[in-house]
Amino acid sequence: MYSRTTSALHDFGLLLIRVILGVVLMFHGSQKLFGWFEGQGMAGFVEAIEKMEVVPMPQVSAYLSAGTEFFGGLLLVVGFLTRLVAIPAAFNMFVAAIVVHGAAFSLADDGMEYALTLAVVATALIFTGAGRFSVDGCLWRETSPPPSDG
């Protein structure tokens, strides 16, 4: 039986997932955009992308990536436009996993496991949405559907 308690726990789980993903993205985006937390700032990030020589328009790509991380992360934390925001966030992290860290899987070898995990979590939010404990939930009365008795 699907109770209100089960529904609330489901939505609380989505809140936890959404907030930690948003905070992590904001952290990394702030390093790139503003040079916070010992980050390289935009000049350093643009230079790093230019050195990869695989991304067209490296300066535009750098600003889109950093902006997606910081501002998209902020929107995920509050749960506003979650499904929409999760699309570029997932894309950004899949690109990072493959292009930047694709030579290995293990994080110890500068591999893709961390970026890939963030990409998959963002992808999951595309399918699940933010849950009730979010701006989306307040605006659109988003509720968790009961599981099928299937």
Side-chain angles (χ1 to χ4, degrees), residues 12-134:
F12 184 69
L14 288 172
L15 170 70
L16 293 175
I17 291 166
R18 204 184 68 243
V19 168
I20 192 59
L21 177 62
V23 167
V24 168
L25 290 175
M26 285 179 65
F27 172 79
H28 289 285
S30 71
Q31 288 180 307
K32 294 171 179 103
L33 279 176
F34 312 118
W36 296 350
F37 309 108
E38 300 177 22
Q40 58 192 348
M42 283 310 298
F45 187 47
V46 169
E47 183 180 323
I49 288 182
E50 286 172 340
K51 285 181 183 176
M52 287 185 246
E53 296 182 1
V54 294
V55 179
M57 300 184 303
Q59 188 163 11
V60 172
S61 297
Y63 276 94
L64 286 173
S65 176
T68 294
E69 288 182 9
F70 185 78
F71 297 108
L74 178 62
L75 291 172
L76 288 174
V77 168
V78 299
F80 184 58
L81 302 174
T82 302
R83 291 176 195 259
L84 185 64
V85 168
I87 295 168
F91 178 80
N92 193 52
M93 296 317 301
F94 277 121
V95 169
I98 294 163
V99 174
V100 180
H101 303 287
F105 183 77
S106 174
L107 187 59
D109 297 324
D110 195 31
M112 68 170 67
E113 70 175 283
Y114 184 67
L116 184 60
T117 299
L118 297 177
V120 170
V121 171
T123 301
L125 287 174
I126 295 168
F127 296 109
T128 63
R132 287 182 297 165
F133 306 138
S134 64

